[in-house]
Amino acid sequence: MKLVSYNIQYGFGGDGHYDLSRAARIVAGADIIALQEVERHWQRTNFDDQPEILSSLLPDYHWVYGPAFDMDASERLDGRIVNRRRQFGTMVLSKLPIVWSRPHALPMRRTVRPLNTRNAALECMIRTPAGPVRVLSLHLAHIAAEERLEQIDYLLGEHRRAPSDGGPWSGVDDEPARNWTSGEPEPENPLAAIWMGDFNMEPGSAEYRRIVGSTPYHRGAAYRDGFVDAAAVASEPGEDFHTHVKTIDGRLTKRRLDHCFVGGMFAGRVRSASADIGEVASDHFPVRVDIDLETPLTAHSGG
């Protein structure tokens, strides 16, 4: 299956031009799409409802939107309130149905300067041929490693509790007349997971090591409840593998800030990982991962 993660910078390209259709064309065709910096009802983007626009541009996908930033943007017209929310967050689109989803508001440190905003991870459970998988589209803090470490620790805690916590509901429905379950079996909340997004961290950083661990003796080690970097297990990343370019202290700097981390049970299933270097539809480049989610997991490989 083909996965793509893309921080679309709310439709503004590296050329300063606003055009959501460019981002949609780039991600179209992937089986699962994780988007970051998607917004609703901001003046800078014509008060557009971007999730609705993107869904119309990508009509063959199921989708869920999860705002991290939510503010009142309502107005009074003709004597009635038109309720709107000014939102900023992440989105997941999938060719397969998204069985359930939930947004995670990540820990945030209040700043004096510069501006800091709430970050979020959108968690979606998708039943793939390999079994149920939790796919997260996330965006971590851009200011400090300490804040990102707190956010990663939160997500790792939620990840490891998933099988025991359960999904949106659990147990036997003792009030079937109220139709809580719509006649469906209890939904899965598997350990199998894939994290994609803008992590605002580079390989080798403290945050990166917090996710993948340090394996000095066994480079290919993968814990069942841990994660591996899809790019690292697919191949040895080249020096030019980057997802963001920015002038820092007068120098043009190439950084790999966008990543795909796959659960340990998928470590041997990643076929390729790459970035569309040079795309101008955003200030980031999309990350593409080809992974085998079609062969069923065995009883020993986890689920």
Side-chain angles (χ1 to χ4, degrees):
M1 295 181 71
K2 298 184 184 303
L3 283 55
V4 63
S5 178
Y6 199 12
N7 178 333
I8 66 170
Q9 194 183 219
Y10 38 95
F12 276 95
D15 55 5
H17 182 57
Y18 173 56
D19 184 357
L20 279 176
S21 67
R22 295 192 296 185
R25 284 195 297 271
I26 289 168
V27 300
D31 296 291
I32 300 175
I33 302 166
L35 301 179
Q36 302 85 47
E37 296 199 8
V38 182
E39 65 187 31
R40 277 177 164 150
H41 305 136
W42 289 67
Q43 182 179 16
R44 64 192 177 196
T45 50
N46 307 321
F47 299 100
D48 284 347
D49 187 334
Q50 293 191 338
E52 289 290 344
I53 292 172
L54 287 165
S55 70
S56 68
L57 292 169
L58 298 163
D60 296 328
Y61 290 86
H62 306 270
W63 64 275
V64 177
Y65 176 66
F69 184 113
D70 182 273
M71 297 289 294
D72 178 50
S74 58
E75 59 179 329
R76 185 177 291 275
L77 290 175
D78 300 326
R80 60 181 293 268
I81 293 294
V82 178
N83 188 73
R84 295 192 188 95
R85 308 301 302 175
R86 182 161 62 95
Q87 298 177 330
F88 186 81
T90 58
M91 188 173 182
V92 171
L93 301 98
S94 171
K95 288 186 176 180
L96 294 170
I98 298 171
V99 179
W100 60 259
S101 71
R102 62 171 174 162
H104 295 270
L106 300 180
M108 174 181 167
R109 290 192 175 190
R110 190 174 182 181
T111 56
V112 176
R113 62 181 183 184
L115 177 72
N116 197 14
T117 58
R118 180 71 65 183
N119 297 105
L122 175 61
E123 181 179 18
C124 295
M125 198 281 280
I126 300 170
R127 293 188 182 117
T128 74
V133 180
R134 290 180 296 111
V135 175
L136 274 70
S137 175
L138 59 90
H139 191 185
L140 300 188
H142 71 287
I143 297 178
E146 291 78 8
E147 189 170 4
R148 290 190 290 276
L149 286 167
E150 291 176 0
Q151 295 172 340
I152 290 167
D153 285 343
Y154 168 85
L155 290 170
L156 286 173
E158 293 293 306
H159 166 67
R160 288 166 180 153
R161 283 193 300 271
S164 60
D165 280 357
W169 56 268
S170 60
V172 176
D173 189 356
D174 58 342
E175 295 183 305
R178 296 182 183 272
N179 199 25
W180 286 104
T181 67
S182 293
E184 297 178 1
E186 180 181 329
E188 306 94 332
N189 193 6
L191 185 63
I194 297 173
W195 291 3
M196 294 187 286
D198 177 359
F199 289 76
N200 276 308
M201 68 185 189
E202 295 188 77
S205 64
E207 310 96 280
Y208 181 91
R209 293 194 304 273
R210 186 68 60 87
I211 297 173
V212 302
S214 299
T215 54
Y217 302 113
H218 299 281
R219 185 175 177 276
Y223 288 101
R224 184 174 179 272
D225 66 347
F227 290 90
V228 297
D229 179 356
V233 297
S235 61
E236 187 67 34
E239 291 184 3
D240 197 43
F241 184 22
H242 61 281
T243 66
H244 188 260
V245 177
K246 185 176 182 179
T247 300
I248 302 175
D249 297 327
R251 297 182 58 186
L252 191 67
T253 305
K254 299 177 180 179
R255 301 180 293 174
R256 181 154 68 97
L257 304 180
D258 306 81
H259 305 271
C260 173
F261 296 98
V262 303
M265 66 283 294
F266 297 131
R269 291 170 172 251
V270 179
R271 301 294 175 251
S272 65
S274 62
D276 292 355
I277 296 172
E279 286 287 0
V280 298
S282 171
D283 63 336
H284 286 246
F285 305 138
V287 173
R288 298 186 185 275
V289 173
D290 193 348
I291 181 172
D292 176 9
L293 292 179
E294 297 176 358
T295 305
L297 289 169
T298 67
H300 299 291
S301 62

